[in-house]
Amino acid sequence: MAEDEEENSQARQRLQELVDHLYHFRDHYFENHSVEDAGKKQQDVQEEMEKTLQKMEAIDGLSEGQAYTLMLKGKALNVSAYYNAQSEKLLSKAVKLDPELVEAWNQLGEVYWKKGDVSAAHTCFSGALGHCKNKVSLQNLSMVLRQLHTTSPDEHAQNVMDSVRQAKLAVQMDVRDGRSWCEFYYAIY
């Protein structure tokens, strides 16, 4: 039993490393590619995602139905700038299996946002914050609040004020995080 748990833990760690590498590839693309490659970035990220998914499938010792495993596969599929229905399916299942898996809520919120369902994205980021206060949910909620459809100028003004509060909380959580500061700047201007 303990041996199975250790094997599962190592497999999860390998999956996490693969997904982290994929996101590092995307986020640091221009550290290793020239500006002339800008038009190829999405294609290169897509190819890297496919390689990552193949490597993930080759890892033994995982229970496929585990929420964390589903979240990592969904996150890998969500690396693109575009909506991915399979990512939505995997992440939805992950949050149903483990409602306290905050990273799955954040990823699912991003999927809905890419899909254009701002209201569902709002629900996901708010849900993540209901389980754990974290800067990613706060940053994303701040952006989503400014995009929510409103029926009156007062409602829109209230959303903007809420957006500023969320951005401020994100900065307070990590004053060294440039993304939080960026979001705060956009929220107040």
Side-chain angles (χ1 to χ4, degrees):
M1 181 81 170
E3 189 176 307
D4 288 342
E5 286 180 28
E6 176 65 25
E7 187 177 315
N8 197 26
S9 176
Q10 289 175 357
R12 281 177 44 159
Q13 183 177 349
R14 288 194 304 270
L15 282 179
Q16 183 69 58
E17 289 168 358
L18 287 169
V19 174
D20 289 347
H21 175 77
L22 173 62
Y23 274 76
H24 186 272
F25 177 85
R26 181 196 69 183
D27 296 342
H28 298 265
Y29 184 82
F30 291 108
E31 291 174 15
N32 300 307
H33 298 82
S34 69
V35 175
E36 289 80 27
D37 291 334
K40 291 179 28 183
K41 180 180 178 186
Q42 287 303 321
Q43 179 184 342
D44 289 349
V45 169
Q46 181 72 23
E47 289 172 5
E48 192 69 21
M49 178 195 75
E50 290 168 8
K51 289 178 199 172
T52 299
L53 289 169
Q54 288 174 355
K55 291 175 185 175
M56 291 173 82
E57 292 298 325
I59 293 177
D60 292 329
L62 277 174
S63 300
E64 286 297 314
Q66 289 184 341
Y68 193 79
T69 303
L70 294 169
M71 183 275 298
L72 287 173
K73 287 182 179 180
K75 182 177 179 179
L77 289 163
N78 194 32
V79 73
S80 161
Y82 305 105
Y83 168 75
N84 182 295
Q86 182 66 18
S87 178
E88 179 183 353
K89 181 180 175 184
L90 292 170
L91 293 165
S92 293
K93 189 171 181 181
V95 298
K96 286 176 185 165
L97 290 170
D98 185 356
E100 295 184 16
L101 191 54
V102 171
E103 189 173 5
W105 280 110
N106 285 331
Q107 287 293 319
L108 185 58
E110 289 184 22
V111 167
Y112 283 132
W113 201 352
K114 291 173 186 178
K115 188 179 183 180
D117 191 343
V118 178
S119 180
H122 177 270
T123 300
C124 289
F125 299 134
S126 297
L129 287 168
H131 294 289
C132 175
K133 185 177 172 184
N134 67 91
K135 68 183 181 182
V136 173
S137 298
L138 290 166
Q139 293 163 350
N140 288 334
L141 184 58
S142 176
M143 287 185 270
V144 164
L145 281 165
R146 294 191 310 274
Q147 295 179 2
L148 279 175
H149 176 72
T150 57
T151 57
S152 72
D154 288 342
E155 188 180 358
H156 179 70
Q158 183 60 48
N159 284 352
V160 170
M161 293 305 296
D162 287 345
S163 171
V164 171
R165 276 192 286 281
Q166 303 305 323
K168 184 177 177 183
L169 287 170
V171 169
Q172 289 172 345
M173 286 194 78
D174 183 358
V175 295
R176 294 178 182 211
D177 184 350
R179 185 168 181 240
S180 292
W181 281 103
C182 244
E183 182 47 39
F184 181 70
Y185 173 80
Y186 285 120
I188 61 174
Y189 291 102

